[in-house]
Amino acid sequence: MKSKHEILTALARSDSERLLLAGLLDKEQACSLRGYLTHTRFLDLNERAKCTEAVRLAGVTGHALFWGGYADAERGIYLFYPDYMDADTARAAAPLALLRAHKRREDKLTHRDYLGALMGLQIDRSVVGDILVHEEGADILVLEDMADFILLHFAKAGRKQISLTREPLAEIKAAAHTEKEGTGSVASPRLDSVVALVFGLPRKEAQAKIEHGLVFLNNVPCLKPERQVAEGDRLTVRGVGRARVEAFGGTSRKGRVFIQYVKNIS
């Protein structure tokens, strides 16, 4: 178990990261000392990885969890819960609200349209979680204390009229996307080789994205192009897409490894 100072020294690489991690550890301490549920704002994948490591170093994984309102959420909050709660109770008590944006059937609105309109309300990105675009419109996760403000002011997205309703979190709709199966071969199951194949990138571009922290392996940023990828691993390339490695097959006469994967297409 590390002290707060030790954790900040080990993990914080900038003032913003120091503030993030200090706030996280303060939330954990408040929960432990006062015995009530505490939480962070919404975290992106990089922030989530930093906070997960801080929680591990602090030795408090037993009463902490990441929750974005549904399984496999990309953005979520860290919850710290007291002894009288378990993980399921903490999730049920999380201060998250589900807002459903309804559009006209003929209107075509994208994730960018909804997010841009929300940011136009002069709210911080950290109060908004995942935005799941589907045929009816979009399901939007927000912090509970911002729900009424957004319900009152969010009426347009991409210059199209929308209406909002509050829905039970259990009735969240999945984002509309299709999965495209693909096959190919790589010289080895290195992360840069697999990313280049799956997302159709030049090898050098894949390496650059990895080294700049834009590639996530199982929701954790991986900065090592040589990292070995395994069956079942999930890949996310920021601004490009998401995919899952289904299987590695045999090898070609030239020693290349065959790979099967599934890529999400919005």
Side-chain angles (χ1 to χ4, degrees):
M1 181 182 297
K2 301 288 187 181
S3 69
K4 179 178 178 180
H5 175 74
E6 289 172 326
I7 293 171
L8 295 180
T9 300
L11 298 181
R13 297 290 180 265
S14 64
D15 289 343
S16 61
E17 287 186 357
R18 190 174 184 86
L19 286 172
L20 169 70
L21 297 178
L24 173 86
L25 297 171
D26 288 344
K27 296 291 185 183
E28 188 281 323
Q29 187 174 42
C31 173
S32 296
L33 294 177
R34 301 175 186 176
Y36 59 77
L37 185 77
T38 60
H39 66 91
T40 67
R41 57 181 174 80
F42 278 105
L43 307 170
D44 63 26
L45 287 174
N46 278 311
E47 293 168 332
R48 173 183 176 178
K50 285 282 184 179
C51 289
T52 298
E53 182 62 9
V55 166
R56 186 189 69 81
L57 292 176
V60 296
T61 55
H63 74 121
L65 62 88
F66 178 84
W67 180 235
Y70 67 102
D72 296 327
E74 184 170 299
R75 294 176 63 83
I77 62 177
Y78 245 104
L79 290 168
F80 298 101
Y81 52 95
D83 293 340
Y84 60 82
M85 284 186 170
D86 59 18
D88 288 339
T89 306
R91 290 188 187 95
L96 302 181
L98 172 61
L99 305 182
R100 181 162 295 154
H102 304 267
K103 67 174 184 63
R104 294 182 300 180
R105 183 177 295 274
E106 62 269 23
D107 289 339
K108 304 296 183 183
L109 294 173
T110 66
H111 183 282
R112 180 175 294 183
D113 292 325
Y114 291 108
L115 179 58
L118 283 165
M119 297 301 96
L121 300 179
Q122 303 302 307
I123 62 177
D124 194 90
R125 181 67 176 98
S126 65
V127 306
V128 180
D130 283 358
I131 300 173
L132 305 175
V133 180
H134 47 72
E135 291 183 357
E136 294 180 23
D139 278 17
I140 304 168
L141 280 302
V142 301
L143 291 180
E144 176 61 47
D145 59 8
M146 288 299 299
D148 288 342
F149 175 85
I150 295 172
L151 281 166
L152 182 63
H153 296 285
F154 191 28
K156 282 187 176 182
R159 299 184 179 181
K160 304 294 185 181
Q161 292 291 139
I162 60 170
S163 61
L164 283 186
T165 57
R166 184 192 287 260
E167 304 292 339
L169 201 57
E171 296 181 11
I172 192 167
K173 291 180 178 290
H177 66 261
T178 57
E179 291 189 335
K180 180 181 179 181
E181 295 183 354
T183 60
S185 66
V186 290
S188 72
R190 287 170 47 115
L191 181 60
D192 55 354
S193 295
V194 175
V195 166
L197 170 68
V198 172
F199 297 101
L201 301 174
R203 177 82 172 272
K204 288 186 177 179
E205 183 177 347
Q207 290 175 342
K209 288 184 180 295
I210 293 168
E211 291 166 356
H212 285 87
L214 300 178
V215 176
F216 300 82
L217 183 62
N218 298 321
N219 292 327
V220 177
C222 184
L223 303 178
K224 298 180 179 179
E226 71 275 12
R227 173 71 179 272
Q228 298 293 293
V229 177
E231 292 182 0
D233 280 349
R234 297 187 178 193
L235 304 171
T236 301
V237 181
R238 179 164 290 176
V240 178
R242 306 172 77 177
R244 181 179 67 255
V245 176
E246 293 288 275
F248 288 103
T251 57
S252 70
R253 292 181 178 179
K254 295 184 178 181
R256 294 180 65 84
V257 180
F258 294 110
I259 179 175
Q260 298 176 16
Y261 60 88
V262 173
K263 184 164 59 173
N264 289 348
I265 301 176
S266 300

